[in-house]
Amino acid sequence: MDLLRHLRYFVTVAEERHFGRAAERLHMAQPPLSQQIRRLEAELGIELFVRTTRRVDLTAAGTTYLERARAILASVDTAADQARRVAAGAIGHVAIGCVGSATYSLLPTLSRSLADDLPGIEFSFRGEMLVADQLDALREGSIDLALLRPPVVDGSLTVTTLRDERLVVAVPAAHRLAKRKQLRVADLAGIDLIVHSAGRRSAMYDVVRRLFADAGQTPQIRHEVGETSTLVTLVAGGLGVAVVPEPVRSLALPDVKYLPLARPVARIELAVAHRTDRAEPHVMRTLETIGQLVSGKHHYHTGGDRRPD
């Protein structure tokens, strides 16, 4: 016996109190409906209805059964809806790891917009992650997506470039270089540098070393730190200068000035990475939304002409 089908038949008859109207509502003939209800009663070993020539009424047992039948059908419908929403990527949980510059410049807008666009998905965020830590977290599954700095050499991961960002120099406001409109790498020769930690395998550490090597200079590194916020704070304290992606400007400390790095203009990519074997709909929907947000192609639901930072 198709129990769910028969439960629906039973509930419809109970609500209509009439086999003819119930059959019409179910888009079927009356005799087969009556036969199915009889089969249900025989299966249960009880009478669910008291039948007269004009109408049918529930027995006491039928009244109790109706309450449970409605609860079962509602639960089944809820489960089906939940399954459809999962298949459509409308619900789930996504953990996102962010490099330092994205943590401060992009994450506030990103977290708000993801919540608006994908309200059924629960998001969690881990900020100030170095790229190596993000890759480890992706592989072990503690995060689902990573906003990071290429290059990434790992065949198990899919990396999509979102945008490229100009590099700038964070300079103490009282430093002599702060009066300049822009700087070259050669201007930083012999000046104390604050960089992201080499020991923690920072992508920005390698970028800074490469910039100086290409300019034929040797960086004078005095401090290595793990977090972008700490790096900028040390610059504000006058302990050195730092080469950072332009979005770090969002950490607007009064004692720090940001100057463009020119000749040639230096840039660094921001990308999003995920495990290639992770193709769950809710992860893919989040990935698509992040791409639209960061590229500036996203349509915002609230406010005026907001754009991603």
Side-chain angles (χ1 to χ4, degrees), residues 39-268:
R39 289 185 61 187
L40 177 61
E41 290 176 317
E43 182 74 19
L44 296 174
I46 58 174
E47 284 194 349
L48 299 171
F49 296 105
V50 177
R51 296 159 175 83
T52 68
T53 56
R54 294 188 176 183
R55 57 178 287 150
V56 292
D57 288 309
L58 287 164
T59 64
T63 299
T64 299
Y65 194 69
L66 175 62
E67 181 181 344
R68 293 303 185 115
R70 281 174 168 162
I72 291 170
L73 292 175
S75 179
V76 169
D77 290 342
T78 299
D81 179 66
Q82 190 90 341
R84 282 190 288 267
R85 294 182 67 200
V86 169
I91 61 175
H93 176 268
V94 177
I96 302 172
C98 302
V99 292
S101 56
T103 300
Y104 303 105
S105 65
L106 183 59
L107 188 53
T109 298
L110 181 65
S111 59
R112 181 173 59 246
S113 297
L114 286 175
D116 289 344
D117 286 8
L118 304 172
I121 298 177
E122 179 186 355
F123 293 99
S124 60
F125 302 92
R126 290 177 58 185
E128 285 281 16
M129 294 186 74
L130 296 179
V131 173
D133 297 330
Q134 289 177 298
L135 299 183
D136 290 341
L138 282 173
R139 295 185 194 105
E140 69 185 22
S142 58
I143 63 173
D144 305 297
L145 299 173
L147 291 167
L148 45 66
R149 302 292 180 186
V152 174
V153 183
D154 188 329
S156 69
L157 302 177
T158 297
V159 182
T160 304
T161 299
L162 298 173
R163 68 187 184 195
D164 66 322
E165 300 169 342
R166 187 169 185 172
L167 293 176
V168 298
V169 184
V171 181
H175 197 281
R176 60 179 176 81
L177 291 180
K179 298 178 182 179
R180 305 278 291 274
K181 291 185 177 181
Q182 63 180 16
L183 297 171
R184 299 170 300 168
V185 174
D187 296 325
L188 306 180
I191 293 178
D192 289 348
L193 284 177
I194 306 169
V195 298
H196 288 86
S197 174
R200 294 179 61 190
R201 300 173 293 168
S202 164
M204 274 304 301
Y205 179 87
D206 294 335
V207 168
V208 171
R209 297 292 302 218
R210 189 164 56 250
L211 276 175
F212 275 78
D214 291 345
Q217 303 289 335
T218 300
Q220 185 170 297
I221 297 173
R222 285 292 177 262
H223 301 280
E224 295 186 16
V225 299
E227 293 79 30
T228 302
S229 57
T230 303
L231 181 146
V232 177
T233 300
L234 293 183
V235 172
L239 300 183
V241 305
V243 178
V244 295
E246 189 168 24
V248 174
R249 287 177 180 270
S250 59
L251 285 173
L253 299 184
D255 294 324
V256 177
K257 186 173 181 180
Y258 295 95
L259 301 175
L261 190 58
R263 298 185 183 180
V265 174
R267 309 187 77 87
I268 186 171

